[in-house]
Amino acid sequence: AGLEGFGGPATRAGAVARPTWQAMHQLAGAHGLRGPATLTLGLGESRADRVEHLLALRTFQGGELEAGRPGFTALSVWTALSGEPDRDDSAQAWLRTIALARLLLQNVAHITAWWPSVGLGSAQAALFAGADDLGPGLLDDSALAVPGRSFTTDGAEMEHHIRVAGFVPVRRDLDWTTLVRIAAAPEGRYARA
């Protein structure tokens, strides 16, 4: 039907060990589909749970690649950013998790810094912590609605933040096969003077 990949749901630490989760990824991989693995901070997991989740992802990815299936496109790291001290889901915890994921997941090509809960400024810092992707722009944030916060942005704003951080933005498709470098800053709102 033309589907080239799939988006991953927000995944709690430990989900990699669940047979349903594994079967979904294996079935998609058997049909050549790729999608991200995810890790959401602030859902009651401990730091040890996060490390265990990353190690399980590495093992699962290794098995997928060895079986000739495409495996994950990326690990997407989210945070609930609850503000509750016992949740350890701050922007700093998010950045530490991204850095740890980059070190542990040598067999996962991309780390996505899912930015809506922490903002594009923190996403810039994530690029230096090992992320190489900021995920999609959001033109409608109704699925993430939080009173007092707006998560919408467009490609031009994201590209601006990537440039300001010293990187060259690249547009990609869902399965990472089409990459287009965006070398020049656009005219208008985000143009440099």
Side-chain angles (χ1 to χ4, degrees):
L3 185 67
E4 296 173 351
F6 63 97
T11 306
R12 291 183 70 139
V16 178
R18 296 186 187 128
T20 303
W21 187 92
Q22 290 182 356
M24 177 190 75
H25 278 278
Q26 288 170 337
L27 180 62
H31 293 281
L33 296 175
R34 302 171 60 195
T38 60
L39 175 57
T40 305
L41 281 62
L43 299 178
E45 78 288 344
S46 68
R47 287 181 180 179
D49 292 335
R50 293 174 190 168
V51 171
E52 182 179 326
H53 182 79
L54 292 172
L55 292 172
L57 282 173
R58 182 174 68 186
T59 300
F60 185 79
Q61 176 80 335
E64 290 298 283
L65 297 175
E66 189 173 302
R69 293 185 289 269
F72 306 121
T73 53
L75 171 69
S76 184
V77 182
W78 303 49
T79 180
L81 205 64
S82 66
E84 297 177 24
D86 61 330
R87 293 259 178 118
D88 190 33
D89 63 350
S90 67
Q92 293 84 3
W94 177 76
L95 287 169
R96 283 193 309 268
T97 304
I98 287 170
L100 182 60
R102 176 49 68 206
L103 293 171
L104 291 178
L105 299 178
Q106 301 91 355
N107 61 359
V108 177
H110 304 285
I111 304 293
T112 299
W114 183 252
W115 59 270
S117 56
V118 295
L120 286 169
S122 292
Q124 286 175 321
L127 294 171
F128 293 97
D132 66 333
D133 182 58
L134 300 185
L138 293 178
L139 303 178
D140 175 9
D141 65 354
S142 58
L144 301 170
V146 174
R149 288 194 203 166
S150 176
F151 303 108
T152 60
T153 189
D154 58 20
E157 183 178 13
M158 292 180 73
E159 290 165 9
H160 169 76
H161 279 80
I162 292 166
R163 274 191 197 87
V164 169
F167 297 90
V168 176
V170 174
R171 291 186 187 168
R172 64 165 175 86
D173 60 7
L174 187 61
D175 74 347
W176 298 79
T177 58
T178 303
L179 303 174
V180 179
R181 287 176 60 100
I182 311 300
E187 295 296 322
R189 184 169 148 200
Y190 296 106
R192 291 193 180 202

